Amino acid sequence: MAVIGKRLADGGYVDGSAVTITGRTFAQEAAEAKETPGQEVIRPLTNPIKSTGGLVILKGNLAPEGGVIKVTGIERKEQRGPARVFDCEESAMQAVTGGKYPCRRYYRAPL
């Protein structure tokens, strides 16, 4: 976790002056992170796996009060057609695995 903290502090994504439970600042704690040479799990900010994250904020008629969806592994940027809305990921998974809404693995929406 220390290496992740260091990456966030170095990138300016956290307030390094925030005091942690140790009484030291986040930046002080992050500065002591020791990275294993050659590790490829925690990538540098200059070399991400993808340029965007795995969450998308929805707005508009599909989500008039706003919403968040997980799109990890999905490359397309647009979806047209019916939407099924669930309150949580577990409910959605239960509906798909229970056969209520079969998963369309090979469906490709035109972009």
Side-chain angles (χ1 to χ4, degrees):
M1 286 304 253
V3 174
I4 294 172
K6 182 165 178 26
R7 293 269 201 279
L8 293 172
D10 290 349
Y13 295 102
V14 295
D15 179 1
S17 67
V19 178
T20 68
I21 195 167
T22 65
R24 297 169 13 130
T25 67
F26 190 95
Q28 289 171 322
E29 296 287 345
E32 292 184 2
K34 292 182 177 49
E35 186 165 345
T36 303
Q39 70 85 19
E40 296 180 15
V41 175
I42 305 171
R43 300 175 64 100
L45 296 173
T46 57
N47 185 21
I49 291 173
K50 294 184 85 173
S51 60
T52 61
L55 299 177
V56 173
I57 308 301
L58 297 176
K59 300 181 255 187
N61 63 349
L62 181 61
E65 296 179 28
V68 178
I69 59 172
K70 183 165 75 170
V71 295
T72 304
I74 298 174
E75 298 300 325
R76 62 184 163 186
K77 303 281 185 209
E78 183 177 303
Q79 170 66 37
R80 293 177 186 260
R84 306 259 185 331
V85 180
F86 299 90
D87 290 326
C88 63
E89 183 176 353
E90 292 78 13
S91 296
M93 190 65 180
Q94 187 177 32
V96 172
T97 58
K100 187 171 182 181
Y101 300 110
C103 181
R104 298 179 190 168
R105 284 184 179 222
Y106 303 105
Y107 173 75
R108 297 182 71 92
L111 296 178

